[in-house]
Structures are given as structure tokens and as C-alpha cells.
Amino acid sequence: MTTMLATRPLAAHAWPGLIATYRDYLPVNEATPVVTLREGNTPLIEALHLSRLIGRSARIWLKFDGLNPTGSFKDRGMTMAVSKAKEAGSEAIVCASTGNTSAAAAAYGGRGGLKVFVLVPDGYVALGKLAQALIYGAEVIPIQGNFDQAFALVRQVADQYPVTLVNSVNRYRLEGQKTAAFEVCEQLGEAPDWLCIPVGNAGNLTAYWMGFSQFYQKGLVRKRPRMMGFEAAGAAALIHGKVIPIPNPETIATAIRIGNPASGVMAVASARQSGGTIDAVTDQEILEAYHLLARHEGVFCEPASASSVAGLLKCHDQIPEGANIVCVLTGNGLKDPDTALKGCTLRHSAIAPTLEAIAMAMGF
């Protein structure tokens, strides 16, 4: 006999998205037309192997924002930026991007009924991200230059034409991104001792600090973490405690291949205020962390994300005994399959479809 499950309204049980969940902490009102893909609520995964590797009775956690709707943390800021653009009557948005921003802008802009323009550095965007921007319907415009040049151009476009800029200089982006800090506090039951985070255009470090500070000021947590930001060595514009632009940034971590971070001044100030720092990790250190996370933690992030773990491993001797440490993983590994395939090889060529051949290949 078949028993029908009782039907219940979806809205009563489903995660509603960031704006609905954290409305009291965000600059929205009843007139704000919320554009959401139910972003946020990403998992905090305990990294058991990494915790054993670090020692010191530390517990390491991975905030995997690569499980947002378009596969990166950018969705957190984009739900806010696009919602506020619609509230202001905008009909088009524009951004410069190394990939993740373009995917988020295209998805949320399309869902909100806006025209989306994206400037990308030609040949320097991982194919997974470029495919997203195109399938979501953005007008993708490659330029013969790097991200910093593209960003300078979109700022001029937004100044002179009726289009809203949705890069991280848009203050609503950081307002959305700070919600990740809220989630970390709720998931841990307290703020962590350290937060390790990749640094590219540097807005996310600032946004997390905003979120932790807001919860601290409300008395919802008893402390704020040290903010430990990590740039790629070939794009390390902030490691001297100020913005020193890198004219031709180079790194395998394309998402943070940015030589003149737009939010650099704020990020340096946030790290300093927290008692933390911004350091650099090499491409080799990033790739080692990238493979460690996949093989030992079961988490496939994009290379730029792994810079947070590479940085943690680099400064492991500074970790306090018994610390709770969160490493932010900003994007999904499927964004950049080429890098994954370059680091892995098939051990076997095609073999006969027989039990004997399979057993031999397996070493039995």
C-alpha cells in the first residue's frame, strides 16, 4: 500500500536567501525588490586531516562558499547589489571580472531582468567561469589587458552612462558579503580565533570584518577573530601594509590575479584593526593546499580559494593552542577544471571490458 506524504508549504521550510534571513542587518526596506537565488547557508566543514596536520589541539574549519548558486561567494554581494540597482530604477549593470563576479552578475542580473555587461581580460578567465557568464546571457567584452585595466574602464562607463557598477566598490556588495561572518558565528556558536581568507580585490576580507564587528557590537559574540589575508605572491600588492600596485600580476590562481585591489586600503585597515595581517603564498604552496583539500578533506575548491589554507600552513607556528580557525574557500573547483586536470593523470589506458582485466588493473 502506498502512503502519501503530507504536503507542506515549501516556503515554511526552505532557506529563503540572505536578504530575508538577515534583513535587520542589511540596508533594505519594504520597497527593495529582492532578487535572490537563495544564496548563503553554505556549510562549515571541519577539516579533520588538516587539524591533525596543524596540531596544537587546533580545530580547522572550511567555510565552503563554493556551494553558492553560481559557485562562489560573489553571490552574497550580488543579491544585494542587483536588488538595490532595481530599487534605484537601473536597467543595466556592468562589472570587470576575472570570472566569478561575471558569473554572479550575469545570473542575478538576468533573474532581475537587467542587461548585464562584463569586461574580462582576454585569455585570463577560467573556462568554467566564462561559460557561466555566457550561458546566463551576459554581454561579455574581452579586452587586451588585465583585470585592473578592465576595472578602470568600467568605473568610467558607470560614471558616464546609465549603468550600475556591481564590482566590490559598490557598497551593497560588501553588505551582502558580510553575512558569511554571521553564518560562521552561528555555525560555530562563537566567532573563531582566526579567519584565513584569500585576498584578490580585497573586498571580502573587509566584508567579513564588518560582519564580525556588527555581531560583536550587538553582543551576539564575545570576541572578533584575527583576520589573516593571503594574496598570491605574483599579485601581492598589500603585503607591505599599504597598496603598492603590481603592474603585471601573474599567478595560477586566476580569481586573485589582481595587482591593484580596489578595496585594498580598507582590507589593510581591517586586518590591522583585528590584530591580523596580509601575507603572500606562492603558486606552489597554493597548489599543494588545493590538492590536499581535495584528496584528504573531500573538498574541491578553485585554486584561489586554497590560498587561505596555504597561508594557514605557512604560518602554522603562530597558531594559538586550542584555537578555532576558519579558512574561507571562496569558489568551487569546477570553475577551473583545466588546473585540476593538469595536476592529475590517468594511470590506465583503456582496457578490455572483462573482470580479469579490471581485477589486474586494480592490483588483485
Side-chain angles (χ1 to χ4, degrees):
M1 183 177 69
T2 301
T3 303
M4 295 293 293
L5 292 174
T7 57
R8 296 176 292 181
L10 176 64
H13 304 279
W15 171 262
L18 295 179
I19 295 177
T21 301
Y22 296 112
R23 177 176 288 275
D24 291 345
Y25 298 91
L26 296 169
V28 294
N29 55 58
E30 295 304 318
T32 306
V34 176
V35 180
T36 181
L37 291 167
R38 301 199 179 213
E39 58 295 312
N41 196 29
T42 56
L44 189 68
I45 304 165
E46 187 166 10
L48 299 175
H49 175 83
L50 190 55
S51 297
R52 288 191 295 268
L53 193 62
I54 293 292
R56 297 174 179 265
S57 300
R59 296 181 73 180
I60 315 302
W61 306 82
L62 309 171
K63 181 58 171 169
F64 192 22
D65 253 4
L67 296 181
N68 272 300
T70 77
S72 88
F73 77 101
K74 304 285 186 172
D75 295 348
R76 293 182 179 275
M78 210 56 71
T79 184
M80 278 294 300
V82 171
S83 295
K84 295 300 286 187
K86 281 185 68 68
E87 182 182 335
S90 182
E91 296 182 359
I93 58 175
V94 66
C95 68
S97 181
T98 55
N100 284 330
T101 299
S102 67
Y108 283 81
R111 185 168 177 84
L114 305 179
K115 182 74 173 175
V116 182
F117 298 97
V118 175
L119 267 65
V120 298
D122 190 32
Y124 285 93
V125 176
L127 289 181
K129 303 173 188 179
L130 184 60
Q132 284 183 286
L134 292 169
I135 197 68
Y136 289 138
E139 187 74 31
V140 178
I141 305 170
I143 68 158
Q144 297 172 355
N146 60 30
F147 169 85
D148 300 299
Q149 292 168 299
F151 180 63
L153 286 165
V154 294
R155 295 189 84 159
Q156 294 175 48
V157 168
D159 284 343
Q160 297 179 39
Y161 298 95
V163 59
T164 299
L165 181 62
V166 293
N167 280 99
S168 59
V169 290
N170 179 319
R171 73 180 183 91
Y172 298 117
R173 280 278 309 277
L174 300 191
E175 289 285 342
Q177 287 167 215
K178 76 182 182 186
T179 60
F182 299 163
E183 289 179 22
V184 166
C185 292
E186 291 169 345
Q187 289 164 330
L188 276 181
E190 179 56 273
D193 297 294
W194 282 20
L195 185 100
C196 298
I197 188 168
V199 175
N201 219 21
N204 211 26
L205 188 153
T206 304
Y208 266 89
W209 184 241
M210 286 168 56
F212 288 126
S213 296
Q214 197 165 358
F215 260 32
Y216 178 74
Q217 289 156 7
K218 293 279 188 181
L220 299 175
V221 292
R222 294 168 295 176
K223 63 185 179 185
R224 294 179 292 178
R226 288 184 67 186
M227 304 294 294
M228 308 293 285
F230 297 99
E231 298 179 287
L238 305 178
I239 59 173
H240 299 292
K242 57 183 177 180
V243 182
I244 302 177
I246 309 295
N248 298 297
E250 284 297 336
T251 173
I252 194 170
T254 55
I256 54 174
R257 186 189 280 156
I258 296 170
N260 190 14
S263 300
V265 172
M266 289 192 296
V268 167
S270 297
R272 184 177 294 127
Q273 187 179 357
S274 75
T277 190
I278 296 176
D279 203 345
V281 287
T282 66
D283 278 7
Q284 183 61 35
E285 289 168 329
I286 289 171
L287 287 173
E288 287 174 2
Y290 171 70
H291 288 289
L292 181 152
L293 286 167
R295 292 172 183 173
H296 295 287
E297 303 293 357
V299 176
F300 183 27
C301 65
E302 66 173 320
S305 296
S307 64
S308 61
V309 173
L312 175 68
L313 292 168
K314 178 179 178 178
C315 61
H316 71 276
D317 57 339
Q318 302 172 38
I319 296 170
E321 189 74 21
N324 265 317
I325 299 174
V326 172
C327 293
V328 177
L329 305 182
T330 46
N332 197 296
L334 293 172
K335 296 274 193 172
D336 188 3
D338 288 349
T339 298
L341 291 171
K342 285 175 186 174
C344 304
T345 55
L346 279 171
R347 292 180 54 212
H348 306 283
S349 55
I351 61 175
T354 66
L355 177 61
E356 292 78 8
I358 297 297
M360 184 176 294
M362 295 172 69
F364 296 124

